[in-house]
Amino acid sequence: MGWIRETILVAVIAALACCRALAGEPVECRWTEEKITIDGVSVEGAWARAQVIENFQMGWKKEGERKPLRGTKARLLWDREYLYFFAEMEDGDLFADVTKHNGRIWDNDVFELFFKPVEDKPGYFEFEVNAANATLDQFFVKRESNGFGQLNEKYPFELKTAVKLRGTLNKRDDRDEGWSVEGRIPWKNFAPAGGRPGVGEIWKYAACRYDYDNNRNEGKPELSSSAPLSESKFHKFEDYALLKFVGPGDGKIQRVVWQNEHLQGTPEPPAAYAVKQRFEKLKIFQPIHVAVEPGTRNLIVTQHLGNWAGPGKIIRIRNEPNVSDKEILLDLDYLVYGLTFHPQFEKNGFVYLIANGPLSGGGKKMNKVFRYTMSREAPYRIDPTSQQVVIEWESDGHNGGELGFGADGMLYIPAGDGTSDSDVNLRGQDLRYLTSAMIRIDVDHPEAGKNYSVPKDNPFLDVPGARPEIWAYGFRNPWRMAFDRKTGQCFVGVNGQDLWEYVLLVQRGENYGWSLYEGSHEFQPNRKQGPTPITKPVLEHHHSEFRSLTGGIVYYGKKFPELQGAYIYGDFSTGRIWAAKHDGKKILWDKELVDTTLQILHFCEDQDGELLIADQGTGIYTLERAPKAERIPFPTRLSETGLFVSTRDNKPHPGLVPYSVNAPLWSDGAGKERFIALPGSERIDYTSSNGWNFPNGAVLVKTFSLGERRIETRLLAKQQNDWHGYTYVWDEGQQDAMLVESGGMDREYLVDGKKQTWHYPSRAECLVCHSRAANFVLGLSELQMNQGDQLHRLEELGIFKVDWIGPVKEATKKDALKKGMKEDKAGEYADSVCALAEQRGVVESTLLNKRPESLTKMADPYDPSADLNKRARAYLHSNCAICHVEAGGGNAKIDLSYSVPESKMSLFDERPQHHTFGIEGAKLVASGEPEKSVLLRRVSMREAGQMPPLASSAVDEKAVEMLREWIKSRKPK
């Protein structure tokens, strides 16, 4: 008799749900992870767990006359991509003779759903299915605004339905039992009103029915609805019932609040300087160079639109903080690196550009120095027809990036080695080419047939085969040159290769070593040296501090007297700005001024001698004194950070979220525990590619253990829109951990009877790997975190903030393009049908856009059952792609990202750009030949040239063996 009790219980629960709905409590649209097959039957277990909606009525009639003759039961479910519905209807006369989509199907037996996402916004949706499985779908901008069918072409729908009949259709003289319909509606169909609901969101809805019966009502349908309608009008949304979207987990997993109350400020002394945007009312996109127009208060700004793909654009603005206008002076099919004015510009109007291209049409890439003439009468425009090529040379890669007139009136142009790798053309020490050299020419006294002449005091006029234009040589990629306007000294910043960034004080005839040396350090010492001795840089920075040095200027402004005569320079990758004082013979001091989030491409002094900074991302900045602020004590003990309830018991705060990754970074065999700490109710900006975006106050926690012993806890903390790394060393008693000094340290531990050196990274080293190219976070990405049910758990906690509407807009635009719409019109169309401002607008979502099972994920490199190629790619991604990606700081051409196609990795059977380690016939990866593969050699050693280059003193033997088998398995070309 148990089945009787169960049936009675289900009926009671349904009756109570019906009563709640009638009383104004929301009906639940429940979450499902189960896949629903649209076949017209409710066989999936998810339907059994859905709330039954059976309070169909005719609310506009008198009490006692409201119950329809035929019963209806409906259910609603939802997941990340769809809203599902199932309705089961009693029906004695199955009738449906309309088969056209969006026809008059309400003249048939039909089931209808109405959804109104927002009470105070006019838009709502209608979906209908008749017993012949014909459908109708509509979005109403406001009630009856369409006129029937008028907007269907603009708002696309993808309603999928299936019908099952219990009887015969359109046989009017028999008696039928009923019919059922199952369907799904993609959330993107709701895009005009903001699309998918948030967890717990409440909409208004009505499930309705037309029931035609030939044996009653003289052909008129019986209408019924789950909403308590006061009139027999299904569009009367004022009377609709409430529908609550119950999210994943059903609230079983609760997020515990953690507040970042202790990790504030910095352990370092407060910076004396800060940067501030100069032109807040003017958006300057991707500035690469700034110059002062002589005799004016104008600035000439060069832009590199499309990052390094060009084209170049030159604009003019007033150097006034409130400027809001700009004027275009020149568009060029070249990437323009620098611009300078002739010393007599105010008389002759000559403007000189250094550029590389052309960008379109193919062909060889050339460095060209162009001269243009700017009119000497208002409106003082550059005449594009005045273009004159002064000098040119082939260059495709390290092209250099500046030009300028010295105090001697000569034009100086620093050039790179002309390739994108490690001087494979051997130009660094070869005087037969203009590459890798400081070019010095006289543009005022051109020789016959040229637009310049060679100064008589250039140093290599008598060297056989040497280009006479060369003043100095041995440059890798000079990025920015500046003359000290008081001493005449020429400073050149140079982008390094493997480990070093440096600054040269360039003088007549000197050799700066590339590619025998990288700065003052041997690089390829066996290559042939040029005819003169090697001169070392005046400044050097290891890649633990700088990754892509941007040369600066010698400061003589009035705002900072203490910096008078100092060379101010910075770093593109880390955003740091430094200053150094040189007395003509040696560096007196060199110090960091401020650590910024800028991507620094150029320093310029304005009309007042004050510093301007071109930031690739957001425009032009100035250097300011930092406002005085009370120094907040920074926790020197891990127990003071608020991240642990007990460090002695290794018990983290319950608000910290544990996580693991698919392919861990090799850390000399150490075990790791990882946690995410998000302050308050803050969320993670979820992205499908690259690392996720975290809010200020977030902390990533990682504790390392050798055996049973905890040795280090590293924190990566986001403060004031920038990430900072801190590391704590555990004490002998495992009670607590102390903050390591900013320079880091090494310590020896005994592991399995052997000594092992453990490196505690400096704070600068933390951001070598946690770089801008990796979006600062490494393991926090879809590829790494899509493991087991981990994404499900994080989703249930509600810690994600997902851009739902962006991908829908992009998909809508692509569909429009496929149908022949032009690019600009397709974009406008997508905007016009998605998240309309007068409707619900964009709704913040905590749910992923797809099921985790369908999202990208990496293999575990140490899982022997996984695909060998995927294991190898995963290992390279987690251990090498930190640097070896586009703009990652790795100076090889290879891209080791997991998602990059093999054809674009530049890895297989390619010649090494750097060391070959004496391997005959060496390749980066020699297919089928591990012994000839430089990549394997680098991973399997721990000395100069090892990979990864930092913070590892032990070889990952399992990975070496896995990579060896992978290389062996690859078929040679």
Side-chain angles (χ1 to χ4, degrees), residues 47 98 121 194 216 309 323 326 351 556 749 894 908 948 960:
W47 286 122
V98 177
K121 301 294 183 181
R216 72 170 195 274
V323 66
K326 60 186 177 184
V351 182
Y556 288 107
Y749 292 95
I894 55 177
F908 302 108
V960 169

Side-chain angles (χ1 to χ4, degrees), residues 866-893:
D867 178 84
L868 181 58
N869 186 58
K870 291 180 178 179
R871 292 170 62 197
R873 291 292 305 272
Y875 187 87
L876 296 177
H877 177 97
S878 59
N879 287 276
C880 310
I882 297 164
C883 293
H884 292 299
V885 292
E886 186 178 355
N891 289 302
K893 289 196 301 183

Side-chain angles (χ1 to χ4, degrees), residues 184-327:
R184 72 180 191 198
I185 311 167
W187 287 120
K188 64 181 180 180
N189 289 175
F190 292 87
R196 189 176 66 183
V199 174
E201 189 173 344
I202 295 177
W203 287 10
K204 298 190 77 173
Y205 93 106
C208 304
R209 180 182 174 187
Y210 281 74
D211 180 16
Y212 286 85
D213 192 325
N214 200 39
N215 299 313
R216 72 170 195 274
N217 294 337
E218 299 177 351
K220 293 180 181 180
E222 180 181 67
L223 307 183
S224 60
S225 174
S226 64
L229 301 177
S230 59
E231 297 180 62
S232 59
K233 294 180 179 178
F234 289 167
H235 289 260
K236 195 173 190 316
F237 50 64
E238 292 85 353
D239 295 341
Y240 285 178
L242 302 179
L243 181 68
K244 181 178 182 180
F245 291 92
V246 178
D250 297 328
K252 294 175 184 176
I253 301 179
Q254 295 294 325
R255 179 178 172 185
V256 178
V257 174
W258 172 80
Q259 296 291 2
N260 190 347
E261 298 172 342
H262 304 286
L263 277 167
Q264 307 293 327
T266 171
E268 317 302 341
Y273 305 92
V275 292
K276 180 182 178 182
Q277 196 154 29
R278 173 65 174 168
F279 308 110
E280 295 183 355
K281 295 182 179 180
L282 183 64
K283 175 67 175 177
I284 302 177
F285 187 61
Q286 294 182 333
I288 192 173
H289 188 275
V290 184
V292 169
E293 183 180 355
T296 73
R297 294 294 298 178
N298 297 331
L299 298 175
I300 307 299
V301 181
T302 301
Q303 297 172 278
H304 62 307
L305 305 179
N307 291 321
W308 303 104
K313 184 183 288 290
I314 298 173
I315 63 173
R316 176 162 55 198
I317 63 174
R318 293 286 291 173
N319 185 15
E320 296 172 354
N322 294 321
V323 66
S324 58
D325 298 320
K326 60 186 177 184
E327 58 178 316

Side-chain angles (χ1 to χ4, degrees), residues 482-710:
F483 290 98
D484 185 325
R485 55 185 165 90
K486 290 191 176 181
T487 68
Q489 291 176 317
C490 178
F491 290 91
V492 174
V494 179
N495 296 155
Q497 179 73 40
D498 280 358
L499 291 174
W500 298 94
E501 304 291 311
Y502 47 100
V503 177
L504 305 174
L505 183 55
V506 177
Q507 300 184 72
R508 181 182 186 274
E510 292 193 335
N511 174 6
Y512 296 101
W514 179 251
S515 56
L516 282 74
Y517 285 79
E518 179 187 22
S520 63
H521 305 269
E522 285 190 348
F523 184 75
Q524 289 283 15
N526 296 325
R527 290 178 174 174
K528 183 179 179 181
Q529 185 172 326
T532 54
I534 290 170
T535 300
K536 294 182 178 180
V538 292
L539 289 169
E540 283 185 297
H541 288 277
H542 189 271
H543 274 180
S544 63
E545 289 182 331
F546 274 45
R547 299 307 302 275
S548 182
L549 188 143
T550 296
I553 64 163
V554 180
Y555 177 77
Y556 288 107
K558 296 179 180 179
K559 189 188 294 186
F560 309 110
E562 70 279 14
L563 298 179
Q564 282 275 329
Y567 177 68
I568 299 177
Y569 62 107
D571 186 59
F572 172 83
S573 293
T574 67
R576 291 184 169 91
I577 298 175
W578 284 57
K581 191 66 174 287
H582 192 275
D583 67 357
K585 296 181 179 179
K586 63 181 183 300
I587 292 292
L588 301 179
W589 53 262
D590 184 24
K591 62 184 179 182
E592 182 178 312
L593 301 182
V594 61
D595 184 358
T596 78
T597 59
L598 305 184
Q599 293 177 284
I600 303 168
L601 284 174
H602 187 227
F603 292 95
C604 164
E605 58 176 337
D606 70 4
Q607 289 88 342
D608 304 315
E610 300 302 337
L611 192 68
L612 296 177
I613 308 159
D615 165 54
Q616 173 172 272
T618 53
I620 299 172
Y621 287 75
T622 60
L623 189 67
E624 304 287 337
R625 292 203 184 278
K628 289 186 177 180
E630 181 181 352
R631 187 172 180 183
I632 303 170
F634 193 85
T636 57
R637 294 179 179 273
L638 189 60
S639 58
E640 298 168 350
T641 62
L643 294 165
F644 287 80
V645 173
S646 170
T647 52
R648 181 186 64 185
D649 299 324
N650 193 31
K651 186 177 180 181
H653 187 286
L656 270 61
V657 181
Y659 73 96
S660 56
V661 296
N662 285 316
L665 177 72
W666 169 248
S667 298
D668 288 2
K672 302 175 191 177
E673 292 180 284
R674 305 173 181 86
F675 298 91
I676 302 167
L678 294 172
S681 59
E682 293 284 357
R683 294 189 172 115
I684 299 167
D685 247 339
Y686 186 97
T687 62
S688 289
S689 59
N690 302 320
W692 297 339
N693 300 307
F694 283 76
N696 281 321
V699 184
L700 306 180
V701 184
K702 189 188 296 185
T703 295
F704 298 82
S705 300
L706 290 175
E708 297 298 318
R709 178 185 179 82
R710 298 188 297 277

Side-chain angles (χ1 to χ4, degrees), residues 112 153 309 335 342 449 544 627 714:
E112 300 184 351
E153 292 301 318
L335 183 57
H342 191 278
S544 63
R714 290 181 195 167

